[in-house]
Amino acid sequence: MPTPGPRRLLAAALLTAVAIGMASASARSAVAFTGAAVAFTGANVASAGAAVATDGGFQILDDRVAESSGLALSRAHPHTVWTTNDSGDSARIFAVDTRTGRTTGVHTFGAPVTDVEALAITPTGRMLVADIGDNARSRDVVRIFWFDEPALGDTNGSWASWELSYPDGPHDAESVAVDPRTGRVLVVTKSADGAVYALPEKPSRRGVNRLERVADAPPTATDAVFLADGSALAVRTYTQLVLLDPTSWRPLVSSALPLMRQGETVALAPDGAGLLVGSEGEQSPVRRVAVPALAAPTPSSTRTSSTTTPSSPAPAPTASAETRSARTGSSAASPEADRTQLVAGLSAAAGLVLLALLATWVSRRAQRR
């Protein structure tokens, strides 16, 4: 094999240094994002480090589902999830077989939808279709349409709805979840300073229901679901899964999710022991992931928060309480993040040393000639 010339070696060294520098910068950006996601309440959060384990899944084969933006496990039909398209579609939901990815039912309900972003099913079998998207933050009132979970096949039916307003102005949201222990419905907003809002315990079909802010949420939340036993609220972002304690609302654990084109959905897996995470796009994949293991409770994580929780009677919020932030401002990253930064820094240093050695070698060769 011919020995490469000095210029080629120098060029290779430069490219190596640039690549290592870019990798280092990417690693630092990823660490910064991870730190923001897991430290959003200023609490120390256990991090699983690597991505959560994946175990199979399926692909949504129906071309009519081009922007799957909500996912909910059926309570009436085994091996079935319901999904819905993002804004731009009519009022319809699709039943999908989790074993084959094929559509087994389409239900239309004729509501005047604007930007549907999430699905959930209550313990009593009521399907919730959350029309809560608001990219421009211009909707003073958003809505959740509801009806009994439909049968499979092509069906249609009537609907009812709850009108909702936030106590602190419009928000964009893509997540709705139902506490299986109490039936309380929650909305999680999507902004960088996301929050969990609770509907009244008994929402009214007349007038506008005022949401109550109960906790901070991970930034850029795209969907949420309670674990089957109600022990945690799983909130997904584009890249992470964060479990929140449903009493104190402190983050319990955070794990990276499989990379997807645009991670939008999370739902319980049919066996109740895992979660399904999905993406937008035609023929989009849905992956089954394990629930991150929760660490043993500590006094700080089990202490009851002074913030009102959905499972307890709530006094009427005051104007100051509605907008008060529970953040403490801490931005401590996890030990895993520190290790990632260290590896990135050492890699960059190694690249610079390699470049210096090759430059010296080239210089000496030139002097000998």
Side-chain angles (χ1 to χ4, degrees):
M1 178 177 178
T3 303
R7 291 183 179 178
R8 290 185 180 180
L9 285 172
L10 182 57
L14 288 171
L15 288 173
T16 300
V18 170
I20 291 174
M22 292 177 64
S24 176
S26 299
R28 286 193 296 272
S29 299
V31 168
F33 182 86
T34 301
V38 301
F40 62 92
T41 60
N44 291 324
V45 186
S47 174
V52 290
T54 59
D55 180 21
F58 61 95
Q59 186 175 19
I60 298 176
L61 300 178
D62 195 328
D63 289 338
R64 292 172 294 179
V65 184
E67 292 185 287
S68 176
S69 191
L71 199 67
L73 179 66
S74 171
R75 288 183 173 270
H77 314 296
H79 307 289
T80 300
V81 291
W82 293 92
T83 189
T84 184
N85 281 314
D86 203 338
S87 59
D89 198 5
S90 59
R92 58 180 178 172
I93 58 176
F94 298 81
V96 180
D97 191 313
T98 59
R99 297 164 297 184
T100 65
R102 299 188 180 280
T103 297
T104 56
V106 180
H107 179 76
T108 58
F109 53 99
V113 297
T114 300
D115 188 358
V116 174
E117 290 287 355
L119 297 177
I121 302 178
T122 70
T124 58
R126 178 178 288 174
M127 173 71 70
L128 306 183
V129 182
D131 187 357
I132 54 177
D134 188 10
N135 292 327
R137 295 193 180 188
S138 59
R139 300 176 67 183
D140 293 326
V141 176
V142 294
R143 301 173 82 175
I144 293 179
F145 299 97
W146 53 268
F147 41 83
D148 290 338
E149 182 179 355
L152 300 182
D154 292 336
T155 61
N156 60 75
S158 58
W159 52 271
S161 71
W162 299 315
E163 294 188 334
L164 314 172
S165 69
Y166 295 93
D168 48 359
H171 291 278
D172 186 28
E174 296 187 0
S175 312
V176 65
V178 183
D179 190 328
R181 304 163 304 173
T182 65
R184 194 81 180 268
V185 181
L186 305 178
V187 172
V188 184
T189 58
K190 188 184 179 183
S191 60
D193 56 347
V196 180
Y197 291 83
L199 275 69
E201 291 185 5
K202 296 181 178 180
S204 174
R205 295 172 57 184
R206 297 182 179 181
V208 178
N209 294 274
R210 192 175 180 82
L211 294 168
E212 176 192 359
R213 189 185 191 282
V214 297
D216 291 337
T220 63
T222 59
D223 205 358
V225 68
F226 273 91
L227 299 187
D229 61 0
S231 60
L233 175 65
V235 180
R236 79 153 299 166
T237 68
Y238 289 120
T239 59
Q240 283 196 317
L241 182 71
V242 181
L243 300 189
L244 303 182
D245 184 287
T247 301
S248 67
W249 296 108
R250 293 177 178 272
L252 300 173
V253 66
S254 171
S255 291
L257 288 172
L259 292 179
M260 290 183 162
R261 174 182 175 184
Q262 186 172 344
E264 287 282 337
T265 59
V266 64
L268 293 176
D271 61 4
L275 296 171
L276 299 175
V277 292
S279 173
E280 285 191 352
E282 294 183 358
Q283 306 263 315
S284 60
V286 178
R287 303 289 182 233
R288 186 188 187 281
V289 300
V291 177
L294 297 177
T298 62
S300 62
S301 65
T302 56
R303 185 173 59 251
T304 301
S305 170
S306 59
T307 306
T308 304
T309 67
S311 58
S312 60
T318 63
S320 60
E322 290 162 357
T323 57
R324 184 171 62 249
S325 172
R327 300 176 187 274
T328 63
S330 172
S331 59
S334 67
E336 184 67 28
D338 292 337
R339 287 194 294 271
T340 304
Q341 285 181 314
L342 178 60
V343 171
L346 291 175
S347 299
L352 292 175
V353 170
L354 175 61
L355 177 60
L357 290 173
L358 287 173
T360 302
W361 182 83
V362 169
S363 176
R364 289 178 179 176
R365 285 290 300 268
Q367 290 175 358
R368 292 174 184 173
R369 293 179 180 181

